[in-house]
């Protein structure tokens, strides 16, 4: 863990409210966090606590109402977005892992991974080579030509992780990545994420309700009513 | 990486079925255009067959196709004597029903003078008419064989020659016979009716009447000038070939033309709505994938390209399959279907524009998809 390193994700006083007047909802209130490289953190909290909003804010999907945010050394929000092309920002800096893998059903496993590189403008041959390398790294290379419908839940989630890592992002956001998996496969996926975080010096943020994976997190942020209630530092076992 | 193509391949059966359905609709659109062109061609073929420069008809009429026209049979001789005229021939035109072994066959009978303008020249089978009576040259769409006999009026005629593509504006196949036979058919009364007329003391019916005289001009002569000379005779009117063709196109088939045109526009509108609905449904089915693409950083042009390429692929495939269907089915239509390359190309342009317009709603929906919807269950 690189606690002494500069944070890859740094939020200061981030607030987000929806609506106004009587219908105003404060989803986030003055949230400040800092997440260093080689760290897997968990965002925990009951439904409506602001976890998804916070994930969307870090993912540059939802614009905060106020605050300051720095991702991978670049200040991206300071009262307003400082980048016009947010899709490009996501493509360059952030990898996403979804609850239900969200692989594109019309692409094979290797094409799903290569798609991210293709969107970034990488040449096809290089994109496919990198995708195959990642699938091999995540031990699902033998299924590279399978369509998502032919993959098991665990295989699909590994392919999704490979896709999230394809563009060498320093930040990975995972939304309930183990919710659709049994405890054994959930453990394997979390171990994989920890391995990725350590080997690739990545900051991984996991939104989860799954208590079984708490033991594999370096830090837990607990949210309630949009307010950061507690931060727990943990010492997970090595993957 | 072409996402549109891969998505099509992934759902190939569904896409193919949609294309086939659309192709039937676009095939009907192409058929309508072909029927319209066929209608115009059919209307013109009888007028073009004599390869004339000038049509001489009854004064005060726009005959012989748009209005009835009767002129004396000897008018041809007077016209032929005009210095600017190279050749002239008398013609009669009449719709009739022939008896073919107990079944009725509608024919458009053209009476002509052998060796003069108006005689059918390009036979596809058989020989020209050489006898003065009871020989017939018919369009092959009438279904008559060489040597076959049919009864027209009170006489039996033998088919000696076949022509192709000779139809009247109503779609009836053309039958050519000698002027004398045609005049009897058109102007001679039934014996019983003739007897009644004779008993009444009415003068005997004059049968040496024709509907029009067609003339070919000497090289360098102007049809309008010659028409003006003929018009001075008061009992005759003359019009150049181009005026006759305009009359047929814009007068005789005008309503049918507008009817088919309106129907074609309606079908194109229906095609547009169907394309829009299909693409909208396909887009709605892919909202999660679109949200995922946007979330992982796909720019809008990738999303727009995905939808537009699929819409265009569908429209162009539908157009192409429709074209093939029409090409094979054209001969099954009772009337001529003439699809010109320019019409086919024009329709392709319209289909492309239609596809672009039809995908507008889907593109709008896709661009408004919140990437956040890819997250969560």
């Amino acid at each position: 863990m690189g606690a002494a390193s500069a944070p890859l994700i740094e939020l200061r006083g981030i607030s987000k409210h929806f609506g106004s007047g009587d219908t105003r909802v404060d989803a986030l209130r003055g949230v400040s966090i800092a997440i260093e490289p080689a760290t897997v953190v968990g965002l925990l909290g009951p439904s409506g606590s602001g976890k998804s909003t916070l994930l969307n804010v870090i993912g540059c999907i939802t614009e905060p109402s106020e605050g300051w945010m720095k991702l991978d050394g670049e200040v991206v929000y300071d009262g307003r977005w400082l980048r016009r092309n947010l899709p490009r920002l996501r493509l360059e800096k952030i990898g996403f892992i979804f609850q239900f893998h969200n692989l594109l059903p019309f692409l094979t496993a290797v094409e799903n991974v290569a798609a991210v590189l293709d969107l970034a403008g990488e040449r096809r041959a290089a994109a496919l080579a990198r995708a195959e390398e990642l699938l091999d790294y995540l031990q699902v290379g033998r299924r590279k030509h399978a369509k998502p419908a032919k993959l098991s839940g665990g295989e699909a989630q590994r392919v999704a992780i490979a896709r999230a890592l394809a563009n060498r992002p320093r930040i990975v956001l995972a939304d309930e990545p183990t919710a659709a998996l049994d405890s054994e496969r959930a453990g394997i996926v979390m171990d994989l994420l920890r391995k990725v975080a350590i080997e690739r010096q990545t900051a991984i943020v996991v939104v989860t309700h799954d208590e079984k994976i708490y033991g594999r997190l370096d830090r837990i942020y607990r949210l309630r009513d949009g307010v950061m209630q507690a931060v727990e530092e943990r010492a997970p076992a090595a993957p | 990486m072409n996402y549109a193509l891969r998505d099509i391949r992934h759902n190939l059966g569904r896409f193919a079925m949609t294309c086939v359905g659309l192709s039937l609709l676009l095939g009907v659109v192409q058929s309508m255009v072909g029927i319209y062109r066929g209608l115009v061609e059919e209307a013109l073929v009888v007028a073009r067959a004599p390869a004339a420069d000038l049509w001489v008809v009854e004064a005060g009429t726009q005959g012989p196709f748009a209005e009835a026209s009767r002129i004396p049979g000897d008018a041809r001789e007077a016209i032929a004597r005009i210095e600017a005229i190279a050749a002239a021939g008398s013609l009669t035109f009449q719709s009739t029903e022939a008896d073919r072994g107990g079944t009725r066959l509608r024919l458009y009978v053209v009476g002509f003078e052998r060796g003069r303008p108006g005689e059918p020249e390009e036979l596809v089978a058989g020989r020209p008419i050489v006898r003065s009576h009871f020989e017939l040259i018919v369009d092959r769409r009438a279904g008559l064989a060489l040597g076959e006999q049919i009864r027209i009026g009170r006489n039996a005629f033998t088919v000696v020659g076949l022509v192709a593509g000779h139809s009247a504006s109503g779609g009836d196949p053309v039958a050519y016979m000698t002027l004398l036979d045609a005049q009897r058919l058109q102007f001679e009364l039934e014996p019983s009716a003739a007897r009644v007329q004779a008993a009444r003391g009415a003068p005997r019916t004059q049968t040496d009447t024709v509907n029009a005289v067609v003339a070919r001009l000497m090289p360098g002569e102007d049809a309008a000038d010659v028409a003006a000379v003929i018009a001075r005779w008061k009992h005759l009117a003359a019009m150049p070939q181009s005026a006759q063709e305009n009359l047929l196109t814009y007068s005789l088939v005008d309503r049918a033309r507008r009817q088919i045109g309106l129907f074609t526009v309606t079908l194109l509108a229906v095609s547009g709505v169907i394309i829009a609905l299909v693409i909208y449904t396909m887009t709605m089915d892919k909202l999660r994938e679109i949200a995922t693409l946007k979330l992982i950083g796909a720019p809008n042009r990738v999303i727009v390209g995905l939808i537009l390429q699929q819409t265009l692929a569908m429209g162009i495939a539908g157009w192409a399959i429709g074209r093939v269907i029409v090409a094979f089915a054209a001969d099954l239509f009772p009337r001529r279907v003439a699809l010109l390359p320019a019409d086919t190309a024009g329709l392709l342009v319209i289909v492309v524009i239609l596809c672009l317009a039809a995908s507008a709603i889907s593109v709008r929906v896709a661009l408004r998809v919140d990437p956040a919807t890819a997250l969560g269950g």
Side-chain angles (χ1 to χ4, degrees):
Chain A
M1 208 187 321
S5 311
L8 284 174
I9 302 170
E10 199 174 353
L11 275 63
R12 289 185 202 156
I14 288 288
S15 295
K16 175 65 187 175
H17 60 79
F18 298 99
S20 60
D22 293 343
T23 59
R24 176 177 165 129
V25 175
D26 289 304
L28 293 174
R29 287 188 277 192
V31 173
S32 298
I33 58 175
I35 304 168
E36 301 75 21
T39 310
V40 181
V41 305
L43 279 181
L44 274 58
S47 292
S49 60
K51 305 185 299 293
S52 295
T53 306
L54 184 56
L55 198 74
N56 290 347
V57 166
I58 300 170
C60 302
I61 301 163
T62 300
E63 183 174 5
S65 302
E66 58 187 73
W68 180 92
M69 180 164 70
K70 189 177 182 180
L71 299 178
D72 193 15
E74 180 183 348
V75 179
V76 296
Y77 185 84
D78 189 4
R80 63 181 175 85
W81 289 121
L82 300 180
R83 273 254 207 143
R84 286 185 66 188
N85 193 345
L86 293 174
R88 189 77 202 173
L89 177 74
R90 288 198 290 271
L91 195 58
E92 288 170 359
K93 293 188 182 296
I94 306 166
F96 290 92
I97 301 169
F98 309 93
Q99 183 175 345
F100 294 106
H101 64 71
N102 283 25
L103 295 174
L104 299 173
F106 46 86
L107 300 181
T108 61
V110 71
E111 286 172 340
N112 260 287
V113 180
V116 179
L117 298 158
D118 176 65
L119 290 171
E122 197 147 328
R123 290 176 59 190
R124 180 178 162 77
L128 287 173
R130 162 91 177 137
E132 285 182 21
E133 176 199 320
L134 275 168
L135 290 175
D136 287 338
Y137 171 70
L138 293 166
Q139 296 168 1
V140 72
R142 64 191 168 79
R143 303 287 284 144
K144 63 184 176 186
H145 294 307
K147 292 269 181 73
K150 301 285 183 189
L151 298 171
S152 69
E155 287 172 337
Q157 201 60 301
R158 282 165 188 250
V159 175
I161 292 169
R163 179 177 65 181
L165 300 175
N167 234 10
R168 300 175 179 86
R170 301 292 307 281
I171 298 162
V172 172
L173 305 179
D175 184 34
E176 303 271 12
T178 58
L181 304 176
D182 58 42
S183 56
E184 186 187 342
R185 286 197 173 83
I188 293 169
V189 165
M190 285 309 296
D191 284 343
L192 213 53
L193 288 179
R194 280 194 51 71
K195 185 179 166 201
V196 166
I198 293 163
E199 290 181 3
R200 294 170 187 254
Q201 292 295 295
T202 307
I204 298 179
V205 180
V206 179
V207 167
T208 185
H209 285 102
D210 189 354
E211 291 182 11
K212 296 188 296 292
I213 68 167
Y214 290 180
R216 290 174 163 90
L217 300 172
D218 294 305
R219 189 182 306 144
I220 290 175
Y221 292 102
R222 290 190 187 274
L223 278 162
R224 179 176 286 274
D225 297 330
V227 178
M228 192 61 74
Q229 293 278 304
V231 181
E232 297 171 27
E233 295 291 343
R234 306 173 73 89
Chain B
M1 200 181 295
N2 190 309
Y3 301 103
L5 193 63
R6 280 171 170 76
D7 189 36
I8 287 171
R9 272 181 9 207
H10 183 64
N11 296 300
L12 192 57
R14 178 183 168 183
F15 185 80
M17 288 305 292
T18 309
C19 284
V20 168
L22 188 62
S23 72
L24 293 175
L25 196 58
L26 291 176
V28 174
V29 172
Q30 294 184 59
S31 301
M32 295 309 293
V33 175
I35 288 168
Y36 161 65
R37 288 290 180 202
L39 200 68
V40 173
E41 279 192 16
E42 280 181 344
L44 293 177
V45 73
V46 175
R48 283 176 175 169
D53 298 312
L54 202 65
W55 287 75
V56 182
V57 295
E58 185 181 342
T61 74
Q62 293 195 309
F65 306 110
E67 290 180 324
S69 158
R70 281 186 177 200
I71 56 177
D74 58 7
R76 191 258 302 155
E77 288 171 28
I79 291 160
R81 279 197 289 273
I82 297 172
E83 201 178 337
I85 302 288
S90 298
L91 293 171
T92 63
F93 302 94
Q94 178 188 8
S95 286
T96 187
E97 283 204 0
D99 181 11
R100 186 196 185 195
T103 58
R104 307 303 292 173
L105 174 65
R106 279 196 65 80
L107 293 171
Y108 188 72
V109 173
V110 178
F112 68 95
E113 294 178 287
R114 282 182 292 147
R116 297 190 184 281
E119 181 173 8
E121 286 171 356
E122 293 176 0
L123 304 188
V124 292
R127 59 167 174 79
I129 289 175
V130 292
R131 292 173 56 195
S132 300
H133 293 291
F134 312 133
E135 287 191 340
L136 208 59
I137 293 172
V138 293
D139 183 82
R140 63 181 176 188
R141 291 191 81 166
L144 297 170
L146 289 176
E148 191 172 344
Q149 283 206 330
I150 57 164
R151 181 163 285 279
I152 302 174
R154 282 181 290 143
N155 299 305
F157 288 78
T158 304
V159 177
V160 297
L162 297 176
V163 287
H166 287 223
S167 309
S169 60
D172 297 333
V174 173
Y176 292 94
M177 61 175 65
T178 62
L179 184 67
L180 215 56
D181 285 344
Q183 284 174 325
R184 278 186 182 168
L185 180 68
Q186 188 172 164
F187 303 115
E188 202 170 80
L189 292 172
E190 281 282 315
S192 54
R195 280 195 296 276
V196 170
Q197 291 298 320
R200 289 176 60 231
R204 198 164 170 228
T205 311
Q206 173 60 263
T207 59
D208 189 17
T209 303
V210 298
N211 298 126
V213 172
V214 288
R216 291 177 192 151
L217 302 181
M218 299 292 281
E221 296 294 340
D222 183 65
D225 293 344
V226 181
V229 169
I230 293 170
R232 279 193 224 122
W233 293 352
K234 304 297 182 190
H235 69 296
L236 296 175
M239 68 179 90
Q241 175 71 20
S242 57
Q244 184 66 264
E245 289 186 13
N246 276 343
L247 202 62
L248 280 163
T249 310
Y250 295 107
S251 173
L252 207 62
V253 295
D254 185 56
R255 279 192 186 167
R257 195 168 64 105
R258 278 189 284 161
Q259 177 114 340
I260 289 173
L262 196 61
F263 192 55
T264 305
V265 169
T266 308
L267 279 175
L268 279 170
V270 171
S271 305
V273 170
I274 287 175
I275 293 171
L277 278 174
V278 169
I279 288 298
Y280 183 74
T281 308
M282 284 169 67
T283 305
M284 294 304 283
D285 286 349
K286 277 198 292 282
L287 283 186
R288 195 169 182 87
E289 284 81 30
I290 289 170
T292 303
L293 276 169
K294 290 176 88 169
L295 189 67
I296 63 177
N300 284 343
R301 65 181 159 76
V302 171
I303 311 295
V304 173
L306 173 69
I307 293 167
L308 283 187
Q309 285 169 41
Q310 289 192 344
T311 315
L312 288 173
M314 186 184 297
I316 292 170
W319 167 84
I321 299 169
R323 182 68 189 87
V324 172
I325 291 172
V326 174
F328 281 105
D331 286 341
L332 300 176
F333 283 81
R335 295 199 60 175
R336 187 175 165 82
V337 178
L339 207 52
L340 309 177
D343 289 338
T344 310
L347 196 62
L348 176 61
V349 172
I350 291 171
V351 167
V352 167
I353 293 169
L354 209 60
C355 286
L356 295 177
S359 57
I361 297 171
S362 301
V363 166
R364 185 177 152 86
V365 168
L367 290 181
R368 289 166 74 104
V369 168
D370 184 357
T373 54
L375 296 167

